[in-house]
Amino acid sequence: MPSKDEAARLSMSAGTPVTLICRTAFTDEGRPVEVNEMTLDAASYILEYDFDA
């Protein structure tokens, strides 16, 4: 559940859960080059990722 600050900043209704995503991008050598942390209103997003393997 969101903190009071998160709920206010996201203009969320009380009782709406959030989704926390923490993504780290690495170079081919394994060195981290980007960290992205997102807090999303869980009722407002559908997440879809497509990665080539």
Side-chain angles (χ1 to χ4, degrees), residues 20-52:
L20 175 63
I21 300 172
C22 184
R23 181 182 69 208
T24 306
F26 296 90
T27 64
D28 289 339
E29 295 78 28
R31 185 172 62 99
V33 292
E34 176 188 0
V35 175
N36 184 344
E37 186 174 291
M38 297 174 275
T39 302
L40 306 172
D41 177 344
S44 297
Y45 290 88
I46 295 173
L47 304 174
E48 182 176 321
Y49 292 90
D50 185 16
F51 294 99
D52 291 334

